[in-house]
Amino acid sequence: MTRATSVAGDPAARAVELLSSMGVTMPAPGSLVARTPITGAALTTLTASSGADVDAAIGKAANAFRDWRTVPAPQRAAVVRRLGELLREHLHELGELATLEAGKIGAEARGEVQEMIDVCEFAVGLSRQLYGRTMASERPGHRLMETWHPLGVVGVLSAFNFPVAVWSWNTAIALVCGDTVVWKPSETTPLTALAGHALLRRAAVEVGADPEIHQLVQGAADVGERLVDDERVALLSATGSVRMGRTVGPRVAARFGRCLLELGGNNAAIVTASADLELTTRAVVFAAAGTAGQRCTTLRRVIAHTDVVAALGDRLCDAYHQLRVGDPLEDGVLVGPLINGRAYTSMQDALARALADGGELLCGGERVIVHGEESYYVRPAIVRMPAQTEVVREETFAPILYVLTYYDFDDAIALHNQVPQGLSSTVFTRDQREAERFLAADGSDCGIANVNIGTSGAEIGGAFGGEKQTGGGRESGSDSWKAYMRRATNTINYSTELPLAQGIEFSPVSS
């Protein structure tokens, strides 16, 4: 255990100041405690939504949907465009609030808000590109086409590690598609949710739209469960653990609702004998240690060729020793706190299991005391493993990087794919054949597969999501908008005849 310097002032007063600057009126105090992982202290308390509150919020969203769905998509985009402008105006304030509430360093927190701005721009452009298609009909005098229509109320369950960005991915797209939104954020980040909600409703009012198109409910898991089970919620988009997804998916399916799941990741990098080790080291360190290892896209496994594993391990440990762990409000800090004590315990348990399995701790893993015993800072850890044991196959939401070795590239791909998660992946190589093989059908089985870049930091233009236990959902870019709409196939007969498909003859009525 080591100690680090810190610069924490009064985070509770600062949080109120930041919220006020964004036009947020503090709600009445209650039992829901907003804490900062920077010190472990309470920022404020809020009143959790009751069952009746959730039911009313869903009802308001459903009522607003009746009119919102008929507004032309480019006009709906005006709300999202204005939201993006407000986010630009308050980028630093919302970013600092995310730092206070989620513990992110300033650069990453501001990057999260920039991501929100980017997805707003994407959604505004998308509002004029919700394309259907016209297909050739086999019947003369007929036109065959498909059209896309708003789906209904979209429920969004988001996690603490990206307290506003993931909400914006879903909400910006859902709104331009003509849906309304009910948002249930993580109970550990209620204040950033208040800010996001306030900015969106302000945007709606300023462009003359109904602010009831967006609703916010706050509380623990029981609040989210009401969204899961309510038949008025047409689509439930849930970001969280695999365990959560195992519960949510079947319950939504049981009522024939739609589900978009973004669950765990156990992301790996294959480092080949030809890899540029300097580039690889930079990419691995950010992907593995950024956000204190608390990203679904965090790099958790390195599968390195036997010829380079020792040199790579040395480079990584050298870089890890230079990582400054401490108060994320302090300049120069690169690794902030874990979200809470449970995360710290989970990390220490995983390290103990890895060492019991024959692993060798190369560096890190120890606790760093920054603001006393109520906050949890750790040095990112690197563990050399003799095999891909059960603890390596699991996702531990903390900065642990397991290093495995391979000799044959086919074995590396097999090792890469032998985990239940399938979110993000990468290969570091200067061999085009290896790069192309990794991206091929028998290569990486993940939803995101990269070459010579880390597993995290996805751009909003590409659809984000994964396979296997990651849930199969896709958010943000590409054609992910289709998840938020319903498709209709239309056949128009503009002739005076009534030919049937497949040439069927059926004419009981004489002319």
Side-chain angles (χ1 to χ4, degrees):
M1 184 180 298
T2 59
R3 294 184 177 272
T5 59
S6 64
V7 295
D10 185 350
R14 182 57 179 160
V16 172
E17 182 181 354
L18 290 167
L19 287 167
S20 177
S21 72
M22 289 181 277
V24 180
T25 302
M26 291 300 296
S31 59
L32 181 60
V33 182
R35 295 187 180 275
T36 174
I38 296 174
T39 64
L43 296 171
T44 189
T45 64
L46 303 85
T47 300
S49 301
S50 66
D53 293 335
V54 180
D55 291 344
I58 298 172
K60 290 177 182 178
N63 288 335
F65 172 70
R66 294 188 179 94
D67 291 329
W68 185 242
R69 62 185 170 179
T70 65
V71 176
Q75 294 182 28
R76 297 193 294 251
V79 175
V80 178
R81 180 185 296 108
R82 182 58 185 144
L83 173 61
E85 293 169 351
L86 291 172
L87 289 170
R88 282 189 178 87
E89 294 175 21
H90 296 288
L91 186 152
H92 290 279
E93 292 94 333
L94 187 55
E96 186 178 343
L97 188 62
T99 292
L100 286 174
E101 202 167 37
K104 293 185 161 188
I105 64 172
E108 290 192 70
R110 292 187 295 273
E112 177 168 354
V113 182
Q114 183 61 53
E115 190 170 333
M116 300 172 72
I117 296 167
D118 294 342
V119 81
C120 285
E121 291 182 350
F122 178 85
V124 169
L126 179 66
S127 69
R128 296 181 182 273
Q129 300 178 76
L130 301 174
Y131 297 139
R133 64 178 68 185
T134 300
M135 296 153 281
S137 174
E138 67 185 59
R139 291 172 283 188
H142 285 59
R143 179 157 61 91
L144 183 63
M145 66 180 187
E146 66 180 23
T147 51
W148 292 86
H149 304 287
L151 188 60
V153 177
V154 174
V156 178
L157 307 182
S158 60
F160 79 87
N161 57 332
F162 283 90
V164 279
V166 172
W167 160 72
S168 73
W169 293 356
N170 287 276
T171 301
I173 305 299
L175 290 178
V176 300
C177 287
D179 303 321
T180 55
V181 176
V182 182
W183 179 23
K184 191 276 177 191
S186 167
E187 59 268 36
T188 60
T189 54
L191 300 185
T192 44
L194 285 176
H197 175 63
L199 291 175
L200 193 151
R201 287 175 74 97
R202 175 181 162 189
V205 170
E206 290 181 357
V207 301
D210 183 1
E212 300 300 321
I213 59 177
H214 190 268
Q215 304 291 323
L216 174 68
V217 294
Q218 300 259 31
D222 61 308
V223 174
E225 287 173 358
R226 299 192 77 91
L227 293 177
V228 171
D229 295 330
D230 198 303
E231 292 187 354
R232 293 172 294 177
V233 177
L235 168 68
L236 187 83
S237 178
T239 301
S241 67
V242 172
R243 182 178 64 179
M244 179 271 287
R246 289 189 189 279
T247 300
V248 167
R251 284 169 64 168
V252 174
R255 62 175 178 81
F256 296 99
R258 294 193 191 181
C259 213
L260 197 165
L261 296 176
E262 296 290 355
L263 309 175
N266 192 351
N267 315 295
I270 296 175
V271 182
T272 71
S274 69
D276 178 336
L277 292 188
E278 181 180 352
L279 180 150
T280 301
T281 300
R282 294 200 307 271
V284 166
V285 171
F286 173 71
T291 324
Q294 298 172 119
R295 288 190 296 241
C296 56
T297 54
T298 290
L299 183 63
R300 308 203 182 277
R301 297 176 295 141
V302 163
I303 303 166
H305 192 276
T306 54
D307 288 350
V308 298
V309 66
L312 178 64
D314 290 342
R315 284 172 174 265
L316 290 174
C317 284
D318 287 344
Y320 268 42
H321 288 314
Q322 298 175 52
L323 290 175
R324 189 174 172 192
V325 178
D327 190 318
L329 293 170
E330 185 176 355
D331 290 341
V333 167
L334 295 176
V335 180
L338 296 174
I339 190 66
N340 53 35
R342 291 190 303 276
Y344 173 74
T345 299
S346 176
M347 178 179 180
Q348 297 307 309
D349 289 347
L351 286 173
R353 290 173 60 195
L355 298 182
D357 288 341
E360 176 190 0
L361 182 63
L362 299 183
C363 60
E366 68 270 26
R367 187 174 178 184
V368 179
I369 299 300
V370 177
H371 290 298
E373 298 296 327
E374 299 303 314
S375 54
Y376 296 86
Y377 295 77
V378 294
R379 296 199 184 279
I382 301 176
V383 184
R384 177 82 177 265
M385 295 298 294
Q388 189 157 266
T389 62
E390 190 60 31
V391 70
V392 180
R393 286 168 46 82
E394 298 170 359
E395 180 191 39
T396 301
F397 220 58
I400 303 176
L401 180 64
Y402 299 109
V403 178
L404 303 136
T405 59
Y406 81 94
Y407 180 74
D408 181 79
F409 194 67
D410 285 344
D411 293 338
I413 290 178
L415 196 62
H416 174 279
N417 292 344
Q418 285 171 0
V419 296
Q421 310 86 359
L423 179 53
S424 189
S425 61
T426 190
V427 62
F428 292 94
T429 182
R430 284 182 278 202
D431 184 321
Q432 184 177 357
R433 289 180 176 177
E434 289 176 332
E436 295 292 342
R437 171 68 198 289
F438 185 75
L439 303 179
D442 58 348
S444 168
D445 62 0
C446 293
I448 299 170
N450 299 330
V451 177
N452 292 329
I453 193 170
T455 54
S456 56
E459 298 183 35
I460 58 92
F464 180 89
E467 302 300 325
K468 301 190 292 187
Q469 288 188 7
T470 301
R474 293 296 186 275
E475 294 173 327
S476 185
S478 186
D479 65 348
S480 61
W481 60 270
K482 293 180 179 179
Y484 302 86
M485 303 195 81
R486 62 179 179 86
R487 184 195 324 236
T489 301
N490 314 126
T491 306
I492 301 167
N493 180 2
Y494 58 89
S495 74
T496 58
E497 304 297 324
L498 191 64
L500 301 179
Q502 292 87 47
I504 294 173
E505 296 288 340
F506 189 82
S507 303
V509 180
S510 59
S511 57

